[in-house]
Amino acid sequence: MGSVNQILDAAAINRALTRVAHEIIERNSAEGSIALIGIRTRGVFLAERLAKKIKDFEGLDVPVGSLDISFYRDDIAIHPQPKILGTKIDFDINEMTAILCDDVLFTGRTIRAAMDALIDYGRPRAIQLAVMVDRGHRELPIRADFVGKNIPTSKKERVMVKLVEEDDIDVIEIEK
Amino acid sequence: MPLRSKDLLSIEDLTLENIDLILETASSFEEVFDREIKKVPTLRGRTIINLFLEPSTRTRTSFEIAGKRLSADVVNVSGQGSAVAKGESLKDTAQTIEAMSVDAVVIRHWSSGSAKYLAELIKPPVINAGDGWHEHPTQALLDLYTIKKEIGKLTGKRVAIVGDIAHSRVARSLIAALNKTKAKVTLVGPATLIPMDIDKLGVDISYSLDDVLEDVDIVYLLRLQKERQSENLLPSLREYSRLFGLSKARWQRLKNGVRIMHPGPMNRGIEIDSFVADNEKALIREQVTSGVAVRMAILYLLMGGAQVE
């Protein structure tokens, strides 16, 4: 294990999420309803936090769903199976703007799988993407609509988003 | 935490952690059944052969649906009309399958140990869908799944398995599975159909259904094969039905919350009264639904992903 650098602390994460929540409201104020769909595991917590902020700022109740993409991965022959946590979307996503939420945007393959998974549940009017960290190195033509923090990285580095709900601390670190 | 084996041959081979992993995975697949598109792309481009050399409708169909809902291509081969009927050995069949680069084989065979034999011959995963009188592990797993879903934890629950224990691979797998989950098993049947020394497995034995009726949480009825009568193991089917059949009168004596299970196909009027089979206490339909989810989980865990941590 190499050295670990802290990039954002709890206050900075909160500020970034506040900004992203405002951007989501601004961008989607004209058109109908939105839903936040978190990608398991940490994307779900980010989606819940964003929903709470949108509620605080605008008084708007945004439904939150969670998406497990295990069945849609393109690498199951290469990587061991992750633990399946299940998908929970108990509202109708048809004609909604679904905003996918994830912690780190890297190759884009997770998002590709998530879009496939989501479309099996219905036909959202649009799909947008919100991520806590964009670290570059895309392998697919995918980009985020809302980014908490752009962090240029080398491919060898690991970006770790830790959230209180899962890791008992809010911090973003890079391991070299 | 992958399933650390190439094949699924018997419940005996599985640890309790393996069983829990399969059941948890199955429950996330069950969610797929409620969707508009009842299919996920997980095993796209993989081929599964259903090699059913003994007649079967529900197990074969269940495996076929499970494979198809995972987007695999499923090919059914039955005994009749196949090269096996022309006298091809299992070894030659195995080599033929391997040469067609198949990704998994599900086998049902009349001979005990055949699944293990096949698994040693070929590289792709082999799933035992019933081998002779030995085991039928996927049936036991779907039974556990159904029980857990319907009544919760198995530990300490009393399960009576009623019928022809001696010739039942379903019973053998179920006993192993229930023992691993620390349920209390009582085998019930005529002495001619309960193997000697089976109590060494840590199960209770009773030769009277009436004696155990009031203590059990689950009554698991086995299919009585009618040929047992011609083998002189039973005086008559009517007598069997009178002593060991779950009649309406016996059903009324069961505790509240008792569930009735049967692996199918049922002999209505012999081991189970029609009224009992169609009553809400029966979980027979739930067992069938669980079967697809559990088999999806098994195919996924054996075929999806490298077996490394």
Side-chain angles (χ1 to χ4, degrees), chain B residues 172-222:
Chain B
R172 221 168 303 279
S173 287
L174 189 59
I175 292 167
L178 290 171
N179 276 342
K180 285 184 201 237
T181 52
K182 306 245 173 348
K184 292 183 183 155
V185 181
T186 306
L187 305 178
V188 184
T192 47
L193 297 179
I194 293 190
M196 298 247 283
D197 292 338
I198 198 159
D199 53 324
K200 287 188 179 147
L201 293 177
V203 294
D204 293 333
I205 291 172
S206 169
Y207 301 114
S208 159
L209 180 57
D210 287 314
D211 287 355
V212 302
L213 221 45
E214 275 139 33
D215 303 322
V216 293
D217 300 296
I218 288 161
V219 183
Y220 195 101
L221 301 164
L222 296 170

Side-chain angles (χ1 to χ4, degrees), chain A residues 10-175:
Chain A
I13 290 175
N14 190 45
R15 270 197 302 277
L17 284 174
T18 301
R19 178 175 48 75
V20 168
H22 281 296
E23 287 174 7
I24 289 173
I25 296 162
E26 202 181 331
R27 168 120 174 236
N28 292 291
S29 59
E31 294 163 72
S33 45
I34 60 170
L36 292 160
I37 310 283
I39 298 172
R40 298 268 191 191
T41 309
R42 289 176 184 75
V44 179
F45 305 129
L46 294 171
E48 283 164 354
R49 290 191 193 187
L50 288 170
K52 188 171 178 302
K53 285 183 186 294
I54 294 171
K55 171 85 177 159
D56 290 348
F57 304 150
E58 297 286 305
L60 198 67
D61 282 306
V62 178
V64 176
S66 52
L67 197 61
D68 187 310
I69 59 150
S70 312
F71 306 149
Y72 295 83
R73 299 179 71 93
D74 61 5
D75 59 356
I76 59 162
I78 314 166
H79 292 297
Q81 306 116 354
K83 193 171 164 58
I84 300 172
L85 299 164
T87 290
K88 194 167 183 297
I89 299 176
D90 40 21
F91 48 88
D92 184 3
I93 62 160
N94 283 301
E95 293 312 312
M96 274 195 159
T97 296
I99 301 167
L100 287 172
C101 303
D102 202 4
D103 50 359
V104 180
L105 178 58
F106 183 24
T107 62
R109 290 180 191 269
T110 300
I111 305 304
R112 195 281 306 158
M115 287 193 287
D116 278 353
L118 192 61
I119 285 166
D120 277 356
Y121 286 88
R123 185 179 187 280
R125 187 175 31 159
I127 300 178
Q128 297 171 1
L129 174 61
V131 297
M132 190 63 230
V133 174
D134 183 348
R135 61 168 293 189
H137 304 289
R138 218 76 77 238
E139 293 169 4
L140 296 172
I142 281 171
R143 58 156 182 77
D145 299 272
F146 312 102
V147 179
K149 175 87 178 161
N150 280 297
I151 305 178
T153 58
S154 84
K155 265 199 154 174
K156 277 186 228 141
E157 290 167 328
R158 281 184 61 202
V159 175
M160 290 171 291
V161 174
K162 295 183 180 169
L163 299 174
V164 170
E165 295 90 331
E166 177 82 7
D167 314 288
D168 301 320
I169 184 173
D170 271 358
V171 69
I172 297 176
E173 298 167 338
I174 291 191
E175 188 186 302

Side-chain angles (χ1 to χ4, degrees), chain B residues 5-304:
Chain B
S5 60
K6 175 175 91 74
D7 313 290
L8 177 69
L9 302 177
S10 72
I11 297 289
E12 288 295 343
D13 298 337
L14 298 175
T15 63
L16 188 58
E17 289 74 39
N18 292 155
I19 292 175
D20 285 340
L21 173 66
I22 293 169
L23 302 190
E24 272 173 40
T25 309
S27 91
S28 43
F29 277 116
E30 213 181 334
E31 173 261 323
V32 174
F33 303 171
D34 302 328
R35 298 192 199 170
E36 215 172 285
I37 299 168
K38 295 182 188 54
K39 201 168 173 142
V40 288
T42 319
L43 295 181
R44 198 173 47 189
R46 313 288 186 91
T47 308
I48 300 168
I49 287 210
N50 269 342
L51 185 62
F52 276 67
L53 302 177
E54 216 184 46
S56 157
T57 316
R58 85 188 53 213
T59 306
R60 187 182 54 70
T61 314
S62 180
F63 266 111
E64 184 173 352
I65 292 177
K68 287 182 170 168
R69 287 198 179 156
L70 290 166
S71 301
D73 296 306
V74 183
V75 180
N76 290 310
V77 179
S78 66
Q80 278 184 339
S82 71
V84 180
K86 296 175 192 162
E88 187 180 66
S89 72
L90 188 55
K91 187 170 181 180
D92 288 331
T93 307
Q95 282 166 355
T96 310
I97 290 169
E98 185 133 66
M100 288 191 272
S101 52
V102 164
D103 300 292
V105 180
V106 179
I107 181 170
R108 155 78 56 102
H109 197 286
W110 60 83
S111 167
S112 305
S114 50
K116 185 170 169 33
Y117 176 73
L118 181 67
E120 284 163 2
L121 286 173
I122 62 172
K123 234 188 263 152
V126 172
I127 298 164
N128 182 4
D131 61 331
W133 295 350
H134 172 227
E135 279 227 36
H136 189 357
T138 61
Q139 177 71 43
L141 289 166
L142 76 88
D143 291 333
L144 287 194
Y145 181 82
T146 311
I147 298 171
K148 280 203 165 166
K149 198 176 151 193
E150 297 292 331
I151 66 172
K153 255 179 96 95
L154 272 151
T155 314
K157 290 279 187 311
R158 293 191 165 273
V159 183
I161 306 177
V162 185
D164 181 2
I165 312 291
H167 305 90
S168 173
R169 56 191 170 214
V170 172
R172 221 168 303 279
S173 287
L174 189 59
I175 292 167
L178 290 171
N179 276 342
K180 285 184 201 237
T181 52
K182 306 245 173 348
K184 292 183 183 155
V185 181
T186 306
L187 305 178
V188 184
T192 47
L193 297 179
I194 293 190
M196 298 247 283
D197 292 338
I198 198 159
D199 53 324
K200 287 188 179 147
L201 293 177
V203 294
D204 293 333
I205 291 172
S206 169
Y207 301 114
S208 159
L209 180 57
D210 287 314
D211 287 355
V212 302
L213 221 45
E214 275 139 33
D215 303 322
V216 293
D217 300 296
I218 288 161
V219 183
Y220 195 101
L221 301 164
L222 296 170
R223 172 183 162 75
L224 185 76
Q225 280 164 338
K226 292 176 183 161
E227 57 267 29
R228 300 295 165 241
Q229 194 185 356
S230 51
E231 291 161 359
N232 292 327
L233 293 167
L234 287 175
S236 78
L237 292 177
R238 265 183 59 201
E239 190 202 80
Y240 178 87
S241 176
R242 194 163 48 78
L243 293 173
F244 296 100
L246 191 59
S247 60
K248 192 172 175 185
R250 287 201 173 99
W251 178 85
Q252 281 163 336
R253 288 173 49 205
L254 294 167
K255 286 189 297 192
N256 270 343
V258 172
R259 299 309 178 97
I260 293 140
M261 300 174 74
H262 191 297
M266 290 184 276
N267 293 309
R268 285 175 187 257
I270 297 179
E271 70 262 8
I272 187 164
D273 185 272
S274 234
F275 170 84
V276 176
D278 299 328
N279 192 277
E280 80 239 351
K281 283 184 179 171
L283 295 178
I284 298 159
R285 288 168 62 102
E286 285 79 359
Q287 285 173 277
V288 177
T289 308
S290 302
V292 177
V294 166
R295 289 176 177 121
M296 283 173 85
I298 290 163
L299 291 171
Y300 171 75
L301 291 169
L302 291 178
M303 298 174 73

